[in-house]
Amino acid sequence: MKNKRLFIVFLLLIFVVVCWAFYFSVADKSFFAESAAVQEFLSEQTGSKNTAGVADESVAEGFVVSDDGVGEPAGTDYEASVSAVTEAVTDAVDVTTVDAEDALPKTEYSFEGDLGHSENSPLYFGNPSDALFELASSSNYLMEKQQFILSYNTQTLCPNWVGWHLSSSDLGEADRTNKFGADKDLPSEWYAVTKADYKFNAYGFDRGHICPSADRTLSAFDNAVTFVMTNMVPQAPDCNRIVWMHLENYERELAKQGNELYIFAGPYGSGGTGAKGFFENIPVTAADGTEHYINVPAYTWKILFILPEGDNDMSRLEQAQVICVNIPNEQGCNKNGDWEFYKCSVDEIENLTGYDFFELIPDEMEDLLEK
């Protein structure tokens, strides 16, 4: 009889364990994400470590996270400019501590080649460097994501340019994810930069977004994709957190006021001055011992092509306005003035980079807009 009771208790314990496991396997996790894809992504990110098994350097060394999710020495006073930045942010999101290295999910490409793109695609008015989705085009490699399109350069380990379309429909309530990570869409033959590679404590450059995370807040997944390292360049803190950031805020204000924007931005040159001094590159040693070098740009430029929100954009070019800037990648650039101080023409950026922006616009109108 005693053995029989023990057997029944054993069966009951097994039943309880099975029920418990089943409950947690089907529990509703919608609180954390709005779709199954985002749930999977966020679960992969939680509590992870970087490839070296060490927590993010910006957290470990007593750093705090700025609005761009970058390490900033705790207690550092960026004078009145920091409070100005805070006041300028009109669509603030909850900023959390940056986690360690996380690789983002692969993107489904919507590759259309170099044959023209649909309206509201970043390349609707042309592919500025004729980037190609081919392994042989390693210094001008086209990568298309739903959130933005870029030309990647394996020699600089940075984008040549990033393009995106912005309107009020891209702006929502999604929180900032802060999941910087290697881009899984890069060919496996190439080195993929990780978040730890920038080594802020040694070189003093932020992981500076080209397409801003705050331009993609419609969903958690949209925001997360902006944190791939192919969308980053080493950027001086005063450039990234003040001058560049103010321009990012302004472009979103334009979108909220009923405009749509076709935006291109990227780096130029080599050699910038960050929080730790002047550097032309950041050396990186891969797991196989291969040496790589992340180029530190001398400038970061941006072009805003602005139209009142509407349809048939090619037929409304007379309504377009263009804003173009070329900002030095150096500490103290904010002391000369804000982004307006660094205005230039599209022609100037084309002369520097060799790119041809808006090449599908009729020449007469293109010349007018680019001067």
Side-chain angles (χ1 to χ4, degrees):
M1 179 66 69
K2 181 176 180 181
N3 289 338
K4 186 176 180 179
R5 288 198 192 100
L6 288 174
F7 180 70
I8 292 173
V9 171
F10 179 71
L11 289 178
L12 287 173
L13 285 173
I14 292 177
F15 177 75
V16 170
V17 170
V18 170
C19 290
W20 180 84
F22 176 77
Y23 171 78
F24 283 99
S25 68
V26 299
D28 179 18
K29 298 179 179 61
S30 61
F31 174 79
F32 299 101
E34 62 265 352
S35 69
V38 178
Q39 290 174 22
E40 180 181 359
F41 165 71
L42 292 179
S43 67
E44 290 176 356
Q45 311 305 315
T46 304
S48 58
K49 297 290 182 181
N50 62 26
T51 53
V54 181
D56 178 34
E57 63 203 5
S58 63
V59 178
E61 297 296 330
F63 277 56
V64 295
V65 178
S66 76
D67 186 69
D68 199 39
V70 290
E72 173 183 333
T76 298
D77 181 11
Y78 278 89
E79 303 172 349
S81 57
V82 170
S83 61
V85 169
T86 304
E87 293 173 2
V89 178
T90 58
D91 57 341
V93 295
D94 293 333
V95 179
T96 57
T97 302
V98 177
D99 289 334
E101 171 60 29
D102 299 302
L104 294 167
K106 287 185 72 67
T107 299
E108 292 297 325
Y109 278 95
S110 57
F111 178 64
E112 300 181 39
D114 199 27
L115 302 177
H117 289 65
S118 60
E119 186 169 307
N120 297 342
S121 162
L123 301 188
Y124 177 57
F125 295 119
N127 179 336
S129 63
D130 294 325
L132 296 174
F133 182 51
E134 297 177 357
L135 277 175
S137 185
S138 61
S139 62
N140 190 23
Y141 182 70
L142 185 65
M143 303 182 72
E144 297 198 44
K145 304 174 187 289
Q146 293 180 353
Q147 296 76 17
F148 52 85
I149 296 177
L150 65 96
S151 164
Y152 187 70
N153 192 329
T154 59
Q155 296 178 16
T156 64
L157 298 182
C158 291
N160 295 314
W161 51 260
V162 180
W164 65 103
H165 180 269
L166 177 65
S167 69
S168 58
S169 63
D170 296 304
L171 307 177
E173 300 299 325
D175 288 343
R176 181 188 175 89
T177 60
N178 276 332
K179 303 294 182 180
F180 293 89
D183 193 335
K184 288 185 176 180
D185 293 333
L186 283 173
S188 59
E189 298 91 335
W190 299 347
Y191 181 75
V193 175
T194 71
K195 69 174 290 183
D197 287 341
Y198 274 39
K199 295 173 282 196
F200 183 90
N201 289 348
Y203 295 94
F205 293 97
D206 292 344
R207 296 178 293 264
H209 280 74
I210 299 298
C211 175
S213 71
D215 280 13
R216 293 291 181 258
T217 55
L218 190 61
S219 71
F221 186 82
D222 282 348
N223 187 264
V225 173
T226 68
F227 285 85
V228 292
M229 294 302 294
T230 53
N231 184 40
M232 308 290 160
V233 299
Q235 209 167 16
D238 285 352
C239 177
N240 180 43
R241 306 176 194 179
I242 303 175
V243 183
W244 193 253
M245 183 182 177
H246 284 172
L247 181 55
E248 292 174 339
N249 294 335
Y250 182 69
E251 71 196 37
R252 286 189 291 276
E253 282 303 306
L254 289 174
K256 292 174 184 177
Q257 292 167 9
N259 297 291
E260 58 180 297
L261 296 83
Y262 291 85
I263 305 175
F264 284 101
Y268 171 72
S270 294
T273 305
K276 304 295 182 179
F278 177 86
F279 295 94
E280 291 187 348
N281 57 61
I282 299 172
V284 177
T285 304
D288 63 2
T290 306
E291 289 289 332
H292 301 277
Y293 298 90
I294 303 170
N295 183 63
V296 176
Y299 294 87
T300 48
W301 53 266
K302 178 175 280 190
I303 301 169
L304 308 180
F305 186 95
I306 309 156
L307 282 168
E309 201 163 358
D311 298 321
N312 301 315
D313 292 348
M314 192 67 81
S315 67
R316 302 187 297 120
L317 297 176
E318 70 281 354
Q319 302 176 38
Q321 300 179 58
V322 173
I323 295 175
C324 186
V325 300
N326 194 27
I327 303 170
N329 189 26
E330 59 186 37
Q331 289 295 86
C333 62
N334 57 304
K335 295 179 181 178
N336 295 325
D338 213 338
W339 61 265
E340 294 95 339
F341 181 83
Y342 297 106
K343 281 184 178 181
C344 62
S345 69
V346 177
D347 281 341
E348 291 177 69
I349 301 300
E350 289 183 332
N351 290 335
L352 288 173
T353 62
Y355 306 149
D356 185 5
F357 298 98
F358 315 122
E359 60 183 336
L360 299 183
I361 292 177
D363 289 342
E364 185 177 342
M365 180 61 71
E366 181 186 2
D367 290 344
L368 183 64
L369 291 169
E370 293 185 352
K371 291 189 182 302

